[in-house]
Structure formats: structure tokens, C-alpha cells
Amino acid sequence: GIHGGGGSHYTGHAVDIVPGTNDRGVWQKVRSFLNGNGGTAICENKADSKDVPDCNASQVNHIHWTR
């Protein structure tokens, strides 16, 4: 992902997760599971780091989870 200096990744409060499939339904289930365990998980747009609600594989390459 795109990570700014001093961001949550560097303080141990965020991870990037890549499910082993391009099936957006699986990505949405993973995101929902993570959100159910606290924090915020988004399918992060690879161009601008914004949320892609439908987890479209042509726009995302990882799930960003912040706790």
C-alpha cells in the first residue's frame, strides 16, 4: 500500500492483508470479519488509498486494517 511516514503501520496499529483470491465476495467477507473484531478494515484503492466498498479487484490490491 501507500504509506505516509509516521502512519499507523509504523506504530504497530495497522496491517495490510491480501486474501488468496481475486473473488470480491471473499474480500468483502474478510473485511466484514475484521471489522467485527474491532478497528476499521477497508478495501484500499491502490491509486489513492480510499475505500472501495465493493472491493473491485481492478482497483484494490490489499485490505488495510487499522486497530
Side-chain angles (χ1 to χ4, degrees):
I2 301 168
H3 306 131
S8 54
H9 284 278
Y10 302 104
T11 61
H13 294 100
V15 295
D16 290 339
I17 298 167
V18 181
T21 178
N22 285 333
D23 181 334
R24 76 174 68 175
V26 171
W27 282 61
Q28 291 167 334
K29 286 179 185 178
V30 170
R31 182 187 59 202
S32 293
F33 173 79
L34 293 169
N35 282 331
N37 285 288
T40 302
I42 64 168
C43 291
E44 189 173 286
N45 189 312
K46 56 189 169 189
D48 63 13
S49 301
K50 293 183 181 178
D51 185 29
V52 178
D54 69 354
C55 299
N56 186 319
S58 68
Q59 294 177 281
V60 302
N61 58 12
H62 68 277
I63 295 172
H64 175 85
W65 185 31
T66 306
R67 287 212 48 178

